[in-house]
């Protein structure tokens, strides 16, 4: 995995978080963005996305199990070395039913099909 810090990156006209993560072969790109990249992103918070450059597909990762948009910011997306796991930090309280933390929490998502 190549984690990039402090560099600007954009997809089309959307400028992305300065902290993003790129899988070794370039097939996966994880990032945080205020811009809604998919219709399910109906909030005004930073959300975590997974982008597949070959297909042009975006996946909203920082959403609840039923697809509900997060209720606060998510940031610092990091892909595992094998591209199967994505970790990120979020202040959202609705991503999992068991979140009882008072501050930001670490979330880990198993990526389907990776």
């Amino acid at each position: 995995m190549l984690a990039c810090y402090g560099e600007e990156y954009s997809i089309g006209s959307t400028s992305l978080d300065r902290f993003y993560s790129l899988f070794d072969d370039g097939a996966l790109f994880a990032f945080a963005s205020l811009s809604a990249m998919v219709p399910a992103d109906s909030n005004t918070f930073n959300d975590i996305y997974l982008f597949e450059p070959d297909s042009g597909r975006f996946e909203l990762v920082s959403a609840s199990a039923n697809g509900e948009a997060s209720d606060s910011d998510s940031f610092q997306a990091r892909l595992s070395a094998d591209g199967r796991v994505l970790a990120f930090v979020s202040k959202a309280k609705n991503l999992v039913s068991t979140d009882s933390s008072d501050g930001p929490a670490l979330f880990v998502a198993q990526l389907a099909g990776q």
Side-chain angles (χ1 to χ4, degrees):
M1 173 195 66
L2 170 66
C4 299
Y5 305 93
E7 297 178 25
E8 289 288 344
Y9 190 87
S10 63
I11 296 174
S13 62
T14 302
S15 181
L16 306 179
D17 188 335
R18 289 178 181 262
F19 298 94
Y20 56 88
S21 184
L22 179 67
F23 184 56
D24 280 340
D25 64 3
L28 296 173
F29 185 82
F31 62 95
S33 179
L34 274 172
S35 299
M37 310 301 274
V38 299
D41 185 357
S42 59
N43 64 28
T44 58
F45 301 108
N46 271 311
D47 289 297
I48 301 298
Y49 285 95
L50 188 65
F51 176 61
E52 297 176 8
D54 289 344
S55 68
R57 185 177 79 87
F58 289 92
E59 179 183 345
L60 176 61
V61 179
S62 58
S64 69
N66 66 359
E68 182 181 335
S70 65
D71 60 8
S72 193
D73 289 310
S74 299
F75 41 93
Q76 296 183 350
R78 299 293 180 267
L79 285 164
S80 65
D82 63 5
R84 295 181 183 192
V85 177
L86 174 60
F88 62 95
V89 177
S90 183
K91 296 178 184 177
K93 300 299 177 206
N94 67 332
L95 299 183
V96 295
S97 61
T98 57
D99 185 2
S100 61
S101 66
D102 289 332
L106 177 65
F107 292 88
V108 179
Q110 184 73 34
L111 302 176
Q114 302 305 321

PDB file of all heavy atoms in Angstrom, residues 40-42 60-71 93-97:
ATOM      1  N   ALA A  40     -26.395   7.946  -2.467  1.00  0.00           N
ATOM      2  CA  ALA A  40     -26.660   7.590  -1.069  1.00  0.00           C
ATOM      3  C   ALA A  40     -25.993   8.545  -0.085  1.00  0.00           C
ATOM      4  O   ALA A  40     -26.353   8.574   1.091  1.00  0.00           O
ATOM      5  CB  ALA A  40     -26.208   6.163  -0.786  1.00  0.00           C
ATOM      6  N   ASP A  41     -25.043   9.344  -0.557  1.00  0.00           N
ATOM      7  CA  ASP A  41     -24.345  10.292   0.317  1.00  0.00           C
ATOM      8  C   ASP A  41     -25.188  11.558   0.425  1.00  0.00           C
ATOM      9  O   ASP A  41     -25.027  12.502  -0.340  1.00  0.00           O
ATOM     10  CB  ASP A  41     -22.958  10.604  -0.225  1.00  0.00           C
ATOM     11  CG  ASP A  41     -22.150  11.482   0.716  1.00  0.00           C
ATOM     12  OD1 ASP A  41     -22.682  11.892   1.768  1.00  0.00           O
ATOM     13  OD2 ASP A  41     -20.993  11.767   0.381  1.00  0.00           O
ATOM     14  N   SER A  42     -26.083  11.570   1.404  1.00  0.00           N
ATOM     15  CA  SER A  42     -27.040  12.673   1.546  1.00  0.00           C
ATOM     16  C   SER A  42     -26.706  13.606   2.707  1.00  0.00           C
ATOM     17  O   SER A  42     -27.530  14.422   3.088  1.00  0.00           O
ATOM     18  CB  SER A  42     -28.442  12.095   1.734  1.00  0.00           C
ATOM     19  OG  SER A  42     -28.468  11.268   2.890  1.00  0.00           O
ATOM     20  N   LEU A  60     -19.458   4.119  -1.319  1.00  0.00           N
ATOM     21  CA  LEU A  60     -19.504   4.836  -0.050  1.00  0.00           C
ATOM     22  C   LEU A  60     -19.264   3.820   1.059  1.00  0.00           C
ATOM     23  O   LEU A  60     -20.064   2.912   1.263  1.00  0.00           O
ATOM     24  CB  LEU A  60     -20.859   5.517   0.128  1.00  0.00           C
ATOM     25  CG  LEU A  60     -21.102   6.227   1.454  1.00  0.00           C
ATOM     26  CD1 LEU A  60     -20.095   7.342   1.677  1.00  0.00           C
ATOM     27  CD2 LEU A  60     -22.526   6.760   1.507  1.00  0.00           C
ATOM     28  N   VAL A  61     -18.167   3.945   1.769  1.00  0.00           N
ATOM     29  CA  VAL A  61     -17.799   2.992   2.822  1.00  0.00           C
ATOM     30  C   VAL A  61     -18.316   3.450   4.182  1.00  0.00           C
ATOM     31  O   VAL A  61     -18.749   2.643   4.993  1.00  0.00           O
ATOM     32  CB  VAL A  61     -16.269   2.775   2.864  1.00  0.00           C
ATOM     33  CG1 VAL A  61     -15.887   1.812   3.974  1.00  0.00           C
ATOM     34  CG2 VAL A  61     -15.761   2.277   1.526  1.00  0.00           C
ATOM     35  N   SER A  62     -18.310   4.752   4.438  1.00  0.00           N
ATOM     36  CA  SER A  62     -18.726   5.271   5.750  1.00  0.00           C
ATOM     37  C   SER A  62     -20.243   5.473   5.797  1.00  0.00           C
ATOM     38  O   SER A  62     -20.743   6.581   5.924  1.00  0.00           O
ATOM     39  CB  SER A  62     -18.002   6.579   6.064  1.00  0.00           C
ATOM     40  OG  SER A  62     -18.262   7.536   5.051  1.00  0.00           O
ATOM     41  N   ALA A  63     -20.951   4.365   5.695  1.00  0.00           N
ATOM     42  CA  ALA A  63     -22.410   4.349   5.799  1.00  0.00           C
ATOM     43  C   ALA A  63     -22.796   3.221   6.748  1.00  0.00           C
ATOM     44  O   ALA A  63     -22.004   2.305   6.977  1.00  0.00           O
ATOM     45  CB  ALA A  63     -23.049   4.124   4.431  1.00  0.00           C
ATOM     46  N   SER A  64     -24.003   3.292   7.292  1.00  0.00           N
ATOM     47  CA  SER A  64     -24.455   2.227   8.195  1.00  0.00           C
ATOM     48  C   SER A  64     -24.716   0.949   7.397  1.00  0.00           C
ATOM     49  O   SER A  64     -24.744   0.974   6.162  1.00  0.00           O
ATOM     50  CB  SER A  64     -25.729   2.662   8.918  1.00  0.00           C
ATOM     51  OG  SER A  64     -26.804   2.735   8.001  1.00  0.00           O
ATOM     52  N   ALA A  65     -24.934  -0.156   8.091  1.00  0.00           N
ATOM     53  CA  ALA A  65     -25.182  -1.449   7.439  1.00  0.00           C
ATOM     54  C   ALA A  65     -26.409  -1.397   6.530  1.00  0.00           C
ATOM     55  O   ALA A  65     -26.462  -2.104   5.522  1.00  0.00           O
ATOM     56  CB  ALA A  65     -25.338  -2.543   8.485  1.00  0.00           C
ATOM     57  N   ASN A  66     -27.380  -0.553   6.859  1.00  0.00           N
ATOM     58  CA  ASN A  66     -28.577  -0.449   6.010  1.00  0.00           C
ATOM     59  C   ASN A  66     -28.444   0.649   4.957  1.00  0.00           C
ATOM     60  O   ASN A  66     -29.423   1.007   4.310  1.00  0.00           O
ATOM     61  CB  ASN A  66     -29.834  -0.249   6.859  1.00  0.00           C
ATOM     62  CG  ASN A  66     -29.848   1.069   7.604  1.00  0.00           C
ATOM     63  OD1 ASN A  66     -28.915   1.845   7.507  1.00  0.00           O
ATOM     64  ND2 ASN A  66     -30.905   1.306   8.357  1.00  0.00           N
ATOM     65  N   GLY A  67     -27.246   1.218   4.798  1.00  0.00           N
ATOM     66  CA  GLY A  67     -26.986   2.203   3.771  1.00  0.00           C
ATOM     67  C   GLY A  67     -27.271   3.639   4.155  1.00  0.00           C
ATOM     68  O   GLY A  67     -27.164   4.546   3.334  1.00  0.00           O
ATOM     69  N   GLU A  68     -27.615   3.874   5.412  1.00  0.00           N
ATOM     70  CA  GLU A  68     -27.899   5.229   5.898  1.00  0.00           C
ATOM     71  C   GLU A  68     -26.617   6.056   5.927  1.00  0.00           C
ATOM     72  O   GLU A  68     -25.570   5.586   6.356  1.00  0.00           O
ATOM     73  CB  GLU A  68     -28.488   5.136   7.303  1.00  0.00           C
ATOM     74  CG  GLU A  68     -28.873   6.444   7.919  1.00  0.00           C
ATOM     75  CD  GLU A  68     -29.430   6.268   9.333  1.00  0.00           C
ATOM     76  OE1 GLU A  68     -29.951   5.181   9.650  1.00  0.00           O
ATOM     77  OE2 GLU A  68     -29.305   7.228  10.111  1.00  0.00           O
ATOM     78  N   ALA A  69     -26.711   7.305   5.480  1.00  0.00           N
ATOM     79  CA  ALA A  69     -25.559   8.198   5.490  1.00  0.00           C
ATOM     80  C   ALA A  69     -25.093   8.445   6.923  1.00  0.00           C
ATOM     81  O   ALA A  69     -25.899   8.454   7.856  1.00  0.00           O
ATOM     82  CB  ALA A  69     -25.926   9.521   4.822  1.00  0.00           C
ATOM     83  N   SER A  70     -23.799   8.664   7.090  1.00  0.00           N
ATOM     84  CA  SER A  70     -23.236   8.890   8.428  1.00  0.00           C
ATOM     85  C   SER A  70     -23.737  10.206   9.015  1.00  0.00           C
ATOM     86  O   SER A  70     -24.111  11.120   8.282  1.00  0.00           O
ATOM     87  CB  SER A  70     -21.713   8.888   8.375  1.00  0.00           C
ATOM     88  OG  SER A  70     -21.251   9.981   7.611  1.00  0.00           O
ATOM     89  N   ASP A  71     -23.715  10.285  10.355  1.00  0.00           N
ATOM     90  CA  ASP A  71     -24.204  11.483  11.031  1.00  0.00           C
ATOM     91  C   ASP A  71     -23.074  12.390  11.519  1.00  0.00           C
ATOM     92  O   ASP A  71     -23.299  13.294  12.311  1.00  0.00           O
ATOM     93  CB  ASP A  71     -25.148  11.125  12.176  1.00  0.00           C
ATOM     94  CG  ASP A  71     -24.509  10.262  13.246  1.00  0.00           C
ATOM     95  OD1 ASP A  71     -23.273  10.039  13.196  1.00  0.00           O
ATOM     96  OD2 ASP A  71     -25.231   9.797  14.136  1.00  0.00           O
ATOM     97  N   LYS A  93     -21.930   8.258  14.886  1.00  0.00           N
ATOM     98  CA  LYS A  93     -22.459   7.344  15.906  1.00  0.00           C
ATOM     99  C   LYS A  93     -23.421   6.316  15.318  1.00  0.00           C
ATOM    100  O   LYS A  93     -23.861   5.412  16.018  1.00  0.00           O
ATOM    101  CB  LYS A  93     -23.191   8.128  17.001  1.00  0.00           C
ATOM    102  CG  LYS A  93     -22.304   9.124  17.715  1.00  0.00           C
ATOM    103  CD  LYS A  93     -21.152   8.428  18.394  1.00  0.00           C
ATOM    104  CE  LYS A  93     -20.230   9.410  19.054  1.00  0.00           C
ATOM    105  NZ  LYS A  93     -18.884   8.893  19.168  1.00  0.00           N
ATOM    106  N   ASN A  94     -23.756   6.443  14.034  1.00  0.00           N
ATOM    107  CA  ASN A  94     -24.746   5.555  13.440  1.00  0.00           C
ATOM    108  C   ASN A  94     -24.172   4.523  12.469  1.00  0.00           C
ATOM    109  O   ASN A  94     -24.920   3.861  11.762  1.00  0.00           O
ATOM    110  CB  ASN A  94     -25.827   6.374  12.723  1.00  0.00           C
ATOM    111  CG  ASN A  94     -25.296   7.112  11.510  1.00  0.00           C
ATOM    112  OD1 ASN A  94     -24.118   7.465  11.448  1.00  0.00           O
ATOM    113  ND2 ASN A  94     -26.172   7.360  10.553  1.00  0.00           N
ATOM    114  N   LEU A  95     -22.856   4.366  12.448  1.00  0.00           N
ATOM    115  CA  LEU A  95     -22.265   3.393  11.529  1.00  0.00           C
ATOM    116  C   LEU A  95     -22.453   1.961  12.001  1.00  0.00           C
ATOM    117  O   LEU A  95     -22.631   1.050  11.197  1.00  0.00           O
ATOM    118  CB  LEU A  95     -20.783   3.699  11.301  1.00  0.00           C
ATOM    119  CG  LEU A  95     -20.478   5.062  10.682  1.00  0.00           C
ATOM    120  CD1 LEU A  95     -18.979   5.212  10.437  1.00  0.00           C
ATOM    121  CD2 LEU A  95     -21.264   5.271   9.403  1.00  0.00           C
ATOM    122  N   VAL A  96     -22.380   1.756  13.313  1.00  0.00           N
ATOM    123  CA  VAL A  96     -22.645   0.444  13.915  1.00  0.00           C
ATOM    124  C   VAL A  96     -23.506   0.649  15.151  1.00  0.00           C
ATOM    125  O   VAL A  96     -23.407   1.679  15.818  1.00  0.00           O
ATOM    126  CB  VAL A  96     -21.340  -0.310  14.294  1.00  0.00           C
ATOM    127  CG1 VAL A  96     -20.530  -0.670  13.061  1.00  0.00           C
ATOM    128  CG2 VAL A  96     -20.499   0.483  15.257  1.00  0.00           C
ATOM    129  N   SER A  97     -24.328  -0.326  15.465  1.00  0.00           N
ATOM    130  CA  SER A  97     -25.247  -0.176  16.598  1.00  0.00           C
ATOM    131  C   SER A  97     -24.545  -0.239  17.951  1.00  0.00           C
ATOM    132  O   SER A  97     -25.098   0.198  18.948  1.00  0.00           O
ATOM    133  CB  SER A  97     -26.342  -1.243  16.529  1.00  0.00           C
ATOM    134  OG  SER A  97     -25.763  -2.531  16.599  1.00  0.00           O
TER     135      SER A  97
END
